[in-house]
Amino acid sequence: MQPNEKEHHTHHSPTINLDDFEELLQKASDLRGHRCLGLPLGIKMAQLGIKLLNLSDNDRQEYLMVFVENDKCPADGIQIATGCSAGSRKFKMLYYGKSAATFVDSRTGKGYRVVSKKDLATRALELAIKDNIIKVGEKVEVMSKLERQVLMNAFMKLKPEELLDAYTVEVAWDSPLVSSRMEPFVYCSKCGEEIMSGMGVKQDNEVLCRSCLKGPYYRRI
């Protein structure tokens, strides 16, 4: 099932130069407020995913959709490199806690899931030894300043293909995570609040919002 193409609007934002890593990193740092560890990784995830999709600049602005599987700093790098935003409904945040993102052509639902290589830490240590950041056999404590330095060095210097794996996927467009089609507003049968774009959950003969179905994230005081 494909999204209604009437939903797509022509974007007039400047074309993003995916090859200019330093410019992308500076823009991501400006968005974040500082240059943090995950920004270069997020940018390189986007570089690889978009390269594999092989979309033209216009098609990328119009039809690219991204699913990011954690809410940490790589997400900011991905936003800058793709030009996708949550408000455009083209940037979806999934709280899986994984260093992964999926880049999809919204016309077909097909794309590529990009994920950190399982031996990324080993590759980072090997590069750090080569660059005289650490010595052979030196212990690098998890979450330490030295580990961050080792990882940042790898994220900055290694090519996307050296940091990341990718495989083809297809996203089901009838998934409530997508909500890419405009549908009439409905009202929750329990709380009476308005629910947008098909995000309600049908239960028996009623439609419930997700707060009433699973419990809200807030507590009314």
Side-chain angles (χ1 to χ4, degrees), residues 38-218:
L39 294 181
L41 180 62
I43 291 168
K44 291 185 177 180
M45 293 174 82
Q47 286 178 324
L48 180 57
I50 292 171
K51 176 184 175 182
L52 291 170
L53 275 178
N54 195 28
L55 297 175
S56 68
D57 288 342
N58 287 338
D59 283 351
R60 189 172 78 219
Q61 291 188 46
E62 195 74 17
Y63 301 113
L64 177 64
M65 182 176 284
V66 186
F67 297 80
V68 182
E69 298 186 21
N70 69 68
D71 60 348
K72 297 181 76 63
C73 40
D76 289 338
I78 292 171
Q79 285 187 86
I80 290 297
T82 61
C84 294
S85 67
S88 68
R89 304 202 296 183
K90 293 168 63 180
F91 185 92
K92 309 293 183 178
M93 187 79 75
L94 308 176
Y95 299 98
Y96 291 0
K98 294 185 178 182
S99 182
T102 298
F103 303 84
V104 177
D105 183 338
S106 65
R107 293 169 293 186
T108 64
K110 295 181 179 179
Y112 294 87
R113 184 171 183 264
V114 177
V115 60
S116 297
K117 285 185 177 292
K118 291 182 179 180
D119 65 346
L120 189 153
T122 300
R123 291 171 182 246
L125 288 171
E126 290 172 350
L127 182 62
I129 292 170
K130 180 181 177 182
D131 290 346
N132 296 314
I133 295 173
I134 60 173
K135 297 177 181 179
V136 176
E138 183 176 352
K139 188 174 183 181
V140 179
E141 299 288 344
V142 176
M143 302 297 290
S144 66
K145 183 177 180 180
L146 181 58
E147 185 197 44
R148 293 178 65 84
Q149 184 181 357
V150 167
L151 289 173
M152 178 63 91
N153 184 59
F155 295 164
M156 291 291 291
K157 291 187 175 181
L158 293 179
K159 297 177 181 178
E161 295 83 358
E162 295 174 312
L163 290 166
L164 305 158
D165 288 321
Y167 54 86
T168 55
V169 297
E170 184 174 20
V171 175
W173 288 119
D174 56 355
S175 165
L177 293 173
V178 177
S179 62
S180 57
R181 294 166 295 131
M182 285 299 290
E183 296 184 11
F185 283 82
V186 296
Y187 293 89
C188 176
S189 300
K190 186 174 181 180
C191 69
E193 292 184 352
E194 203 171 48
I195 314 169
M196 66 176 65
S197 302
M199 292 299 291
V201 179
K202 293 182 180 179
Q203 191 173 78
D204 299 325
N205 293 322
E206 298 181 329
V207 177
L208 297 177
C209 69
R210 294 173 189 273
S211 294
C212 288
L213 185 70
K214 296 183 178 180
Y217 66 90
Y218 58 87

